[in-house]
Amino acid sequence: MHLLRNRAEWAAWVERLAGISLRQAYNTPTEPTLYPCYGYAVLAIADAGYETEEPCYLYAADVAAMAVTLLEHAA
């Protein structure tokens, strides 16, 4: 999981993922709607034997919701 504070950090992170290239403008993933956020990769399986990493984003509201859920279950 990587903290992405701006578009430049997002672009550098996304280009390190397997099969993604912003320079050639193909296979470009969606950009986060808000910064800062956390980015992490999930494995996407299109066909048997063909796997790629796709970015997913975790926003501050998501982290806050998870914290509330953890506190509720801890009590």
Side-chain angles (χ1 to χ4, degrees):
M1 192 173 289
H2 297 276
L3 177 61
L4 307 172
R5 291 172 283 206
N6 54 43
R7 189 174 197 285
E9 288 182 359
W10 169 79
W13 174 71
V14 138
E15 287 193 350
R16 288 192 304 262
L17 294 179
I20 295 176
S21 175
L22 294 179
R23 291 187 182 108
Q24 284 79 22
Y26 68 88
N27 201 19
T28 303
T30 57
E31 189 174 343
T33 55
L34 296 171
Y35 291 102
C37 66
Y38 288 99
Y40 61 97
V42 296
L43 190 61
I45 301 172
D47 295 319
Y50 183 71
E51 303 168 345
T52 59
E53 291 180 298
E54 293 182 356
C56 287
Y57 306 108
L58 190 63
Y59 301 101
D62 301 325
V63 174
M66 289 188 319
V68 167
T69 303
L70 287 172
L71 288 174
E72 289 173 352
H73 286 84

